[in-house]
Amino acid sequence: MAEKKKATGYDKYVNWKLLIIPVILFFLILILPAPKSMQKVGVQYQVGTQAVVGMITEDLFKTNPSDAEQWQLIAAEMMERNLRMGALSKVRFEKRNLKWAKKYKITSDKKNFERASSWVKENLTADAYSALMKRAFDLRMTQLDYEGLNASQKKAADTGTWRIKVSIAMMVFVVFCFLTECMPLPGVAFMIGMILVFTGVVKTGTITQLYWSDAAWFIMGSLMFATAFVKTGVDKRLCLMMFKKLATPNVKWITLIFFLVITPLAAFISDHALAAMFLPIGMLLYQNSLTDEIPEDKELAKLLMIAIAMACNIGGPGAPSGGARNVIMISYLNDMFRFDIGYFQWVTYCFPFLFVMIPLTWLLINMRFKPRIKSLAPAMGHLESEIGKMGKWNSKQIWAVIIFVVMVFGWFTEKAFYNAGIYPVRLGIGSIAVAGAVAYLLAGVVNWRDYQERVDWGVVWLYAGAICFGRMLDSSGAAYWLARSVVDALAPLGMDKGLPLMLTSNGLTAVLTNLMADGPAAAAVGPITLNMAGLVHPGTTYLPFMAMSTAIASSFAYCLIIGTPPNAIVYASGYLEPKDYLRVGIPVWVLANVVLILLTAVYWGVRGFGDLPGF
């Protein structure tokens, strides 16, 4: 059996002939003057919060923020936070609790929080609340002007503009490095933090916090539990259980099973978890397919790994539970236009996207990768022989499965149990994954040497850097500025209504989601295009269609390693290069956009949306 090779690119040194290009572009962007549109977004992001809180305080309590009581400021800050989340209705405000306030750093004790909530509930009607939020939205997005600011506000706005410029320059640098591998990719991840610190955008004490998130912890924990599966041989048993019934264990049919099993599940459970569960199976299939005649088949390895990632990626749009992006767009639609898409209704509109994409993506990846090994029957025979030598299940294998089952149960239920009050704190799937990895140590299934040698720590840091990168694009307003600039530029070309606007929205979202998390990508584009849709197609089926299509497009992160956790997880196999994602990702990206527009024009257009007129 051939040994697994190290991840491509880790043994390379910096290619300065290529690296000098993004370095020059980075500094060129920094020294160029900021356009007016960037300055306006800088004002919105740095002065907007203060201005909105002041406006709400004066409107409701007839006083300025400096003289307001604490509970009055809390009420204004809660409403402003809801505004930034697109939650513009009073109903959404009434659902907020003290945990929510603490999560978004609204300082409050129980007494003041309850007084603020009660006052809004008792003194503002739903219509009055919505009207106030609309005025606040207009103030933040259109009325704030740089020239009308005082000195301290201008200084804050200038800081915001600089943050956007740095984020855009960093985006150019990072994307170029990821596509060309002109320096080792984990090194690029560290460069992200260095750029933010050296340009003064983030303080030294803060940058380390930006690198870690629940998703980064999940990738680390999932690679650890994959190590436990491989060491104990549980991966062999599971693999044989899944595929031994195949009459013809052909590579094409194996990959089809990946799509038929993983993609529908990804609509209802975490795609992170599915990628982590199937990674050791894909690696095992490849390693046991090699022979003395064919000791290495890179195309086969890439085909199996990419199939797992793509099967996870195309499944998310199927149901609201398939990703935060879906819930975000449902909330925007409900709060802005009072249109409600229920869970089952979303499934009936969006699940057909999966039905179309499964066969198309399966055919495409089998066309793009041409393995020399066509049949995995020898692999099945080899696995059966090795399992026969293992004998019965031993204690380590049993513990490996028990811990894994508990971990998966935790992944599937932690959010629901927290909302139901069963868990006092939100655990997050990352913490559960790491807890499972520690449990393997406590149970004696693995030792630390196993983790140290078998986990690709470069991938962990790579995705941690990607999280930091995406957060800056979102929090600085760079993603919003890009979206606003593209939409404004295309409006004079007639791309501001109908299917052309939807095509613009989908394409823009699909580009951004390859650079940042899907939720922030949808959040950056959604409010812009939904507001435009509300102006040109008020009260029509276009509005819910725009919400659903934006959510679906935000799942098209097929092209970069950092696009989604499944992409990063399968990269840890060591068999993939960045160009392999482009090799499949670009055609699938184009195909998915075409399918989405056809879905809108044909299926959604014919079916309509409730009693709303067509557009």
Side-chain angles (χ1 to χ4, degrees):
M1 186 191 304
E3 291 293 324
K4 183 173 79 71
K5 295 185 180 296
K6 293 181 180 179
T8 302
Y10 284 13
D11 298 322
K12 296 179 180 178
Y13 292 92
V14 171
N15 182 343
W16 275 102
K17 290 182 179 179
L18 283 177
L19 183 59
I20 197 64
I21 297 174
V23 169
I24 292 173
L25 290 174
F26 174 82
F27 284 106
L28 184 63
I29 292 172
L30 291 187
I31 63 176
L32 288 173
K36 289 290 185 182
S37 59
M38 186 179 289
Q39 187 184 67
K40 186 167 184 64
V41 174
V43 172
Q44 291 175 15
Y45 272 69
Q46 293 300 312
V47 183
T49 297
Q50 175 190 6
V52 167
V53 170
M55 189 214 83
I56 293 174
T57 305
E58 292 175 2
D59 191 290
L60 293 182
F61 308 113
K62 312 307 178 187
T63 184
N64 59 57
S66 60
D67 297 326
E69 296 183 44
Q70 186 178 0
W71 69 268
Q72 294 173 331
L73 275 179
I74 291 169
E77 289 172 0
M78 287 173 62
M79 295 175 72
E80 190 278 332
R81 182 69 238 190
N82 277 292
L83 173 71
R84 279 190 280 156
M85 297 172 66
L88 307 180
S89 67
K90 186 182 177 184
V91 173
R92 299 277 287 176
F93 179 91
E94 292 174 346
K95 292 180 179 179
R96 305 310 187 192
N97 55 32
L98 192 56
K99 286 183 179 179
W100 175 88
K102 290 180 178 178
K103 177 181 178 181
Y104 290 104
K105 297 180 174 56
I106 299 174
T107 305
S108 175
D109 55 25
K110 183 178 180 181
K111 181 179 178 180
N112 280 302
F113 179 87
E114 290 178 349
R115 186 176 180 186
S117 298
S118 298
W119 191 94
V120 173
K121 291 176 185 177
E122 295 169 5
N123 292 275
L124 284 180
T125 64
D127 289 340
Y129 183 96
S130 296
L132 176 59
M133 293 294 274
K134 187 178 184 308
R135 292 196 302 274
F137 182 86
D138 290 339
L139 170 66
R140 179 182 174 89
M141 298 313 230
T142 61
Q143 296 176 22
L144 288 176
D145 182 67
Y146 182 83
E147 299 304 326
L149 304 179
N150 59 40
S152 62
Q153 289 175 328
K154 284 184 177 179
K155 184 177 179 180
D158 291 338
T159 299
T161 304
W162 173 249
R163 284 165 57 90
I164 297 173
K165 282 182 70 175
V166 171
S167 297
I168 297 299
M170 181 177 66
M171 181 186 73
V172 172
F173 177 86
V174 169
V175 171
F176 188 96
C177 290
F178 273 126
L179 294 180
T180 63
E181 280 192 292
C182 56
M183 70 179 294
L185 298 187
V188 179
F190 289 120
M191 285 291 291
I192 292 168
M194 292 169 60
I195 288 171
L196 295 176
V197 171
F198 291 166
T199 55
V201 171
V202 175
K203 294 181 180 179
T204 306
T206 305
I207 191 64
T208 52
Q209 300 173 24
L210 290 176
Y211 267 91
W212 287 107
S213 70
D214 193 58
W217 270 53
F218 177 85
I219 287 178
M220 180 170 65
S222 65
L223 296 181
M224 286 173 160
F225 95 69
T227 293
F229 266 35
V230 171
K231 181 182 179 180
T232 58
V234 170
D235 60 333
K236 295 182 175 68
R237 294 188 184 275
L238 292 179
C239 185
L240 192 63
M241 288 169 58
M242 282 190 63
F243 299 110
K244 69 178 180 180
K245 298 297 184 182
L246 276 180
T248 308
N250 185 279
V251 173
K252 290 184 178 180
W253 297 122
I254 294 288
T255 53
L256 180 60
I257 288 176
F258 281 159
F259 278 96
L260 292 177
V261 173
I262 296 173
T263 300
L265 285 176
F268 303 101
I269 62 178
S270 167
D271 58 358
H272 311 40
L274 291 167
M277 290 162 59
F278 277 85
L279 173 64
I281 293 175
M283 292 172 61
L284 187 69
L285 283 172
Y286 170 67
Q287 293 166 359
N288 284 274
S289 299
L290 303 176
T291 63
D292 293 336
E293 293 78 20
I294 307 178
E296 184 179 53
D297 190 348
K298 292 183 178 180
E299 289 288 283
L300 175 61
K302 293 175 180 181
L303 172 62
L304 293 171
M305 296 303 110
I306 286 289
I308 293 170
M310 291 298 165
C312 292
N313 292 338
I314 66 175
S321 52
R325 57 189 176 267
N326 301 341
V327 178
I328 286 171
M329 295 313 299
I330 289 174
S331 299
Y332 276 153
L333 185 67
N334 190 13
D335 290 332
M336 290 181 180
F337 302 104
R338 302 294 187 272
F339 293 150
D340 183 33
I341 304 179
Y343 192 99
F344 180 75
Q345 192 174 33
W346 180 285
V347 171
T348 61
Y349 277 100
C350 298
F351 223 84
F353 176 80
L354 275 61
F355 295 147
V356 177
M357 287 300 296
I358 285 175
L360 292 179
T361 310
W362 171 67
L363 288 170
L364 184 60
I365 66 167
N366 278 280
M367 289 170 58
R368 299 295 287 170
F369 295 104
K370 300 294 184 183
R372 294 162 63 195
I373 297 173
K374 303 295 183 184
S375 173
L376 298 183
M380 296 295 106
H382 185 73
L383 283 176
E384 201 158 6
S385 173
E386 287 195 358
I387 291 172
K389 294 176 184 177
M390 287 183 196
K392 296 181 179 179
W393 286 74
N394 60 41
S395 60
K396 289 188 176 181
Q397 291 174 340
I398 293 171
W399 273 113
V401 172
I402 290 173
I403 293 170
F404 174 71
V405 169
V406 172
M407 193 162 48
V408 171
F409 177 78
W411 289 340
F412 294 170
T413 61
E414 61 90 18
K415 182 178 179 181
F417 281 9
Y418 173 74
N419 292 336
I422 298 174
Y423 293 157
V425 295
R426 179 74 191 274
L427 299 178
I429 61 173
S431 299
I432 293 172
V434 173
V438 173
Y440 283 128
L441 289 173
L442 297 176
V445 176
V446 296
N447 57 35
W448 186 257
R449 179 69 63 184
D450 296 318
Y451 288 156
Q452 181 175 320
E453 294 180 348
R454 301 190 188 195
V455 172
D456 191 336
W457 297 100
V459 169
V460 177
W461 281 108
L462 174 62
Y463 200 74
I467 293 292
C468 181
F469 173 62
R471 283 176 172 175
M472 281 311 303
L473 286 181
D474 178 37
S475 64
S476 67
Y480 177 82
W481 174 74
L482 284 171
R484 179 90 255 179
S485 300
V486 171
V487 171
D488 288 346
L490 293 176
L493 303 178
M495 304 286 283
D496 57 348
K497 58 185 176 182
L499 288 177
L501 174 58
M502 191 169 289
L503 184 62
T504 300
S505 173
N506 295 348
L508 183 57
T509 308
V511 169
L512 285 177
T513 197
N514 280 278
L515 304 173
M516 57 197 294
D518 50 18
V525 179
I528 302 170
T529 53
L530 272 177
N531 274 291
M532 292 184 70
L535 291 174
V536 295
H537 302 288
T540 70
T541 56
Y542 191 90
L543 297 170
F545 291 176
M546 175 63 80
M548 290 187 291
S549 66
T550 301
I552 292 175
S554 68
S555 71
F556 295 174
Y558 310 138
C559 300
L560 296 177
I561 298 167
I562 61 172
T564 63
N567 288 0
I569 288 170
V570 300
Y571 183 72
S573 67
Y575 299 125
L576 294 169
E577 301 174 69
K579 64 183 180 183
D580 295 318
Y581 292 89
L582 295 176
R583 188 173 163 189
V584 171
I586 291 176
V588 174
W589 187 91
V590 173
L591 187 66
N593 275 287
V594 172
V595 170
L596 181 53
I597 285 296
L598 291 176
L599 184 74
T600 306
V602 180
Y603 172 55
W604 292 356
V606 171
R607 182 181 170 188
F609 191 89
D611 297 326
L612 297 177
F615 62 93

